[in-house]
Amino acid sequence: MTLQPGAQTGTQPISPRRPHLLVPTPEQLAARRLRRRTRLLRPAYWLPFVLLVVVLAIAWGIGARQMPYLFAPLGEIAGVLSEDPVYFLENTLITLGEAMVGLGIGFVAAFALAVVVSEVAVVRRAVMPLAVVLSVTPLVAIAPLLVVALGFGMAPKVVLTALVCFFPILINVATGLRTVPGPVLEVYRTVAASRLEVLRYLRVPASLPYVFASLRIVFPLSMIGAVVAELAAAGSADGLGSVIQVASSQNRLATVWAAIFVLAALGSLLFWFVTLAERRVLRWHQP
């Protein structure tokens, strides 16, 4: 199939690498960058978040005074983090490594199966109903079984994280690969494009918004899978899940909340990282 990089649609150029997609003009890109830079300076952008944080901090302080068995004062939590930051950093890196390895395995397996599902109708009819059923199955319940089968090392954490991430990626990517504009698909068929060319130049680019949507879900979710596996592995001594378990058994409430706050901050950072990558990769996408 021969595609003309210089093709035009009215006054809007067509991407040479993704011929079915319109490329924003330089003026449009400059306007978008200016809007993103200036909105950070507007109080309407950051003030609601700041006010919400202040309100939550006040509510937390009230809860710590009324229910000291449930909430630790924010000052004590900050003190725990500042006393031994290396301890939390080391355990954070362990949990992050388990989460990223599991996420990588789950992503590769889910993406490959999604391609097969989108191309072969028989496989799609057989796999997708089972995938939906398994996606609502509480995988947390099998964490102890994985520990018994695979031991207390890294393996059960990676496997559980991969399973947690697998089904959201599979369902989103399979949907994205099938969500192709009918007229564009007919154009590819008219020029006798092969299935591989349709997949490479049309289906995969069209599925990228769905891929990033699933990654925004599974990046923070991978941390949950790794922590749950660490909590299930009672003999494990590493990772934030183990920190929470040990501190809880010793009634060190501030340490428990410190580890939870680190997990929340890390999950938010991962979400921000995926969002930033999506903006850079999907500059052509106009939702």
Side-chain angles (χ1 to χ4, degrees):
M1 180 180 64
T2 303
L3 301 171
Q4 299 297 329
Q8 298 281 330
T9 302
T11 59
Q12 193 91 357
I14 294 179
S15 170
R17 297 180 62 185
R18 301 181 179 93
H20 66 291
L21 301 171
L22 297 180
V23 177
T25 63
E27 292 78 10
Q28 291 174 331
L29 291 176
R32 290 180 190 176
R33 287 193 294 267
L34 181 61
R35 285 197 300 268
R36 285 198 295 266
R37 292 171 182 172
T38 57
R39 71 179 181 180
L40 297 176
L41 303 176
R42 302 172 187 169
Y45 182 79
W46 53 265
L47 186 58
F49 175 73
V50 173
L51 292 177
L52 178 60
V53 170
V54 172
V55 170
L56 290 177
I58 295 173
W60 188 282
I62 296 173
R65 287 193 298 270
Q66 298 295 328
M67 296 178 288
Y69 52 86
L70 183 59
F71 296 100
L74 293 176
E76 291 185 11
I77 297 174
V80 169
L81 289 171
S82 61
E83 284 176 5
D84 196 358
V86 176
Y87 172 72
F88 285 95
L89 178 60
E90 290 176 347
N91 286 281
T92 298
L93 292 178
I94 291 172
T95 301
L96 180 62
E98 296 165 350
M100 293 301 99
V101 173
L103 173 59
I105 295 173
F107 179 84
V108 172
F111 194 94
L113 183 57
V115 171
V116 175
V117 163
S118 67
E119 294 295 321
V120 184
V122 175
V123 177
R124 181 169 61 252
R125 288 192 291 268
V127 170
M128 292 309 293
L130 181 61
V132 173
V133 172
L134 293 178
S135 66
V136 298
T137 302
L139 296 177
V140 175
I142 70 171
L145 300 178
L146 293 174
V147 173
V148 172
L150 302 175
F152 296 101
M154 188 177 180
K157 289 98 167 179
V158 170
V159 171
L160 183 62
T161 303
L163 290 174
V164 168
C165 299
F166 179 84
F167 297 107
I169 296 172
L170 172 63
I171 294 173
N172 277 275
V173 174
T175 302
L177 290 171
R178 300 295 300 176
T179 306
V180 176
V184 178
L185 186 59
E186 289 300 324
V187 170
Y188 274 72
R189 290 172 177 169
T190 301
V191 296
S194 66
R195 296 184 69 173
L196 182 59
E197 288 175 322
V198 172
L199 178 66
R200 178 182 176 183
Y201 294 106
L202 183 60
R203 294 194 185 277
V204 171
S207 71
L208 289 180
Y210 293 84
V211 172
F212 279 101
S214 66
L215 289 178
R216 285 200 302 268
I217 297 172
V218 299
F219 258 77
L221 198 62
S222 65
M223 298 298 300
I224 297 176
V227 170
V228 167
E230 290 170 352
L231 290 172
S236 177
D238 299 317
L240 290 175
S242 300
V243 171
I244 293 173
Q245 187 178 53
V246 172
S248 179
S249 64
Q250 298 175 353
N251 199 26
R252 291 186 287 138
L253 193 59
T255 303
V256 173
W257 279 112
I260 294 174
F261 280 4
V262 170
L263 282 170
L266 186 59
S268 301
L269 184 63
L270 292 174
F271 184 90
W272 175 82
F273 173 78
V274 175
T275 302
L276 181 62
E278 180 182 15
R279 289 177 181 175
R280 292 190 175 275
V281 174
L282 301 183
R283 291 180 178 179
W284 48 266
H285 181 56
Q286 298 179 358

